[in-house]
Amino acid sequence: HSGAGHVTTFEHLAHTERPSITTRHVVRQDLLASAVAAGRVTDDIVCAVQAEVRALVAQGARVVVCTCSTLGDAAEATRDAPATIMRVDRPLAERLVASGEPILVVAALPSAMTTAVNLLRSVGRDRSTAVRLRELPCHDAWPLFLSGDQTGYVEHVAERVERDARTGEHVMLAQASMAPALSLIVRSDIQVFTSPQLGVSAALAAYGT
């Protein structure tokens, strides 16, 4: 995770679906902060992410999930790790591409927007499917998140979606932290999707029994 707040969210989702599952959480806010400061995921950040992944696998993890959209590519690119490594938003991207509907990508961080768009296009190429997408940056929301104003953060995201989404679009809330905004978006002419539940379900399926 790149934020401590995700621990409770993902712990709850995992144990609601499979109460007996054993989980461990690692929070590296510093890696996201470094990526934001650099304006990209640098080679050093990639190395640090992959070191965390390898450490978890060495400690017995069968499935490692990166819940940070910005760092997800680095995690998935980890080589020689005998476990399933996945970014939490991949199942969501696969569902959206498979739908064939126009996609509105919503992100509060430029780095998260870039990685989400790249993921959607990559999934589209793998499936030989054309991807129609638009970007909806919510940069003004991120300072609210950083200040601890989670309510203001998700309200800002929801307001932008309500105002700017086009009829028929499938809205991708690209950052896991945006998931609570789903309950605030009431328009019936769009569909809104978040990554946490789909990602956890996919991770548990990969884990097996």
Side-chain angles (χ1 to χ4, degrees):
H1 308 298
S2 57
H6 292 317
V7 173
T8 301
T9 298
F10 283 92
E11 185 78 1
H12 173 73
L13 288 172
H15 284 90
T16 296
E17 190 163 334
R18 190 176 301 184
S20 62
I21 196 73
T22 299
T23 58
R24 181 179 177 188
H25 302 269
V26 174
V27 179
R28 290 296 304 270
Q29 292 172 292
D30 59 311
L31 295 180
L32 177 58
S34 294
V36 171
R40 63 187 181 90
V41 178
T42 65
D43 290 344
D44 286 345
I45 296 170
V46 170
C47 289
V49 170
Q50 295 179 354
E52 288 286 4
V53 170
R54 291 192 181 95
L56 288 167
V57 174
Q59 293 159 17
R62 288 161 52 183
V63 179
V64 179
V65 182
C66 180
T67 64
C68 177
S69 50
T70 296
L71 305 176
D73 278 345
E76 281 196 333
T78 305
R79 298 289 179 256
D80 304 320
T84 299
I85 316 299
M86 60 174 284
R87 51 186 296 172
V88 74
D89 51 355
R90 180 170 290 279
L92 171 56
E94 291 174 346
R95 173 175 289 195
L96 290 170
V97 171
S99 76
E101 299 298 330
I103 302 166
L104 179 65
V105 184
V106 184
L109 274 174
S111 57
M113 180 68 79
T114 297
T115 54
V117 169
N118 288 344
L119 174 62
L120 289 165
R121 296 201 186 283
S122 174
V123 171
R125 287 193 298 271
D126 290 345
R127 298 185 175 208
S128 300
T129 300
V131 177
R132 296 174 290 159
L133 61 81
R134 290 196 306 126
E135 300 179 12
L136 180 59
C138 296
H139 298 161
D140 291 344
W142 192 243
L144 298 173
F145 180 84
L146 291 178
S147 70
D149 184 3
Q150 179 71 11
T151 298
Y153 171 65
V154 297
E155 286 179 347
H156 183 97
V157 171
E159 288 167 3
R160 288 294 309 278
V161 172
E162 286 275 340
R163 187 183 73 200
D164 296 333
R166 297 173 182 170
T167 296
E169 284 184 319
H170 282 195
V171 179
M172 177 187 192
L173 299 182
Q175 293 171 251
S177 58
M178 293 179 168
L182 178 64
S183 64
L184 303 178
I185 300 169
V186 298
R187 280 180 53 177
S188 60
D189 61 332
I190 57 176
Q191 293 188 53
V192 185
F193 300 85
T194 64
S195 61
Q197 182 65 71
L198 288 173
V200 168
S201 294
L204 292 174
Y207 181 86
T209 57

